[in-house]
Amino acid sequence: MSNLPSKASALLIALCSSLGTPPAYADLPPLIPRHELFANAGRYGVNLSHDGKRVSYIAQDKDKRNQLWIKTVGQEDDKMIAPATRSEIANIGWQFDSKHILYRQDVDGDENWHIFQTDIETNVTRDLTPFLGFRA
C-alpha cells in the first residue's frame, strides 16, 4: 500500500511528460489589434431574407448616422431604406414574405421604441405600434 502514491505519482509524471512541452511565446499567432475588435464594424445586424435573395443591415450614411440598408445577394446594389431622420434604427429583421423589413426605432429620443415595417419595393413605412408613450 505504501507503493501506491509513488506509482500514481510516477504515472502522472509519465503522462505529463508524454504531452510535450507547451509552445514558446514566439510560436503563438499574433494578437488581434484592439482597434480591430472595438472599431465601428461598418455593417452590423446583417440578416438574410427568408427567400435568400437579399441581405439587410445597419450602416452609417454620409452624415455618420446609422441607417437601414438592403442589397441583393452577390451584387453591389446597396440602397438605403426608410432613412432615419429622427433617431437611429435598431434590431432589424425580415418579415416571412421577404418583401418587408421590421425594425425598432426610438421616436424623438424619448426611448419609447416603436416597431416599424417598411415595404422594400415601395419604401412605404408603417408604425405598427403608433401609441403615445408605448414602448415595444
Side-chain angles (χ1 to χ4, degrees):
M1 287 286 183
S2 62
N3 263 350
L4 189 58
S6 63
K7 284 183 181 179
S9 297
L11 181 60
L12 183 60
I13 290 169
L15 179 63
C16 289
S17 64
S18 69
L19 295 175
T21 58
Y25 183 74
D27 295 337
L28 295 176
L31 293 176
I32 299 170
R34 283 192 179 110
H35 71 274
E36 294 291 334
L37 296 173
F38 298 108
N40 187 346
R43 294 181 183 179
Y44 66 93
V46 178
N47 286 289
L48 182 64
S49 63
H50 293 281
D51 63 8
K53 295 179 181 178
R54 294 184 186 91
V55 173
S56 63
Y57 60 92
I58 297 174
Q60 291 184 344
D61 61 12
K62 62 180 173 52
D63 298 322
K64 305 287 187 205
R65 190 174 192 120
N66 286 340
Q67 301 287 358
L68 175 59
W69 298 77
I70 64 167
K71 69 182 273 337
T72 307
V73 172
Q75 296 183 21
E76 297 300 323
D77 60 349
D78 303 51
K79 70 176 183 175
M80 190 178 358
I81 299 292
T85 55
R86 294 180 176 180
S87 61
E88 294 186 358
I89 291 173
N91 303 101
I92 62 173
W94 287 91
Q95 220 169 287
F96 286 110
D97 64 4
S98 296
K99 296 178 183 178
H100 297 91
I101 296 178
L102 300 172
Y103 55 93
R104 281 189 337 146
Q105 189 171 22
D106 178 7
V107 179
D108 293 327
D110 61 6
E111 295 191 16
N112 289 331
W113 294 83
H114 288 227
I115 304 295
F116 290 87
Q117 175 197 55
T118 298
D119 182 309
I120 63 168
E121 298 299 324
T122 65
N123 238 15
V124 172
T125 298
R126 296 184 331 154
D127 183 350
L128 300 180
T129 53
F131 312 107
L132 288 176
F134 186 79
R135 189 181 279 184

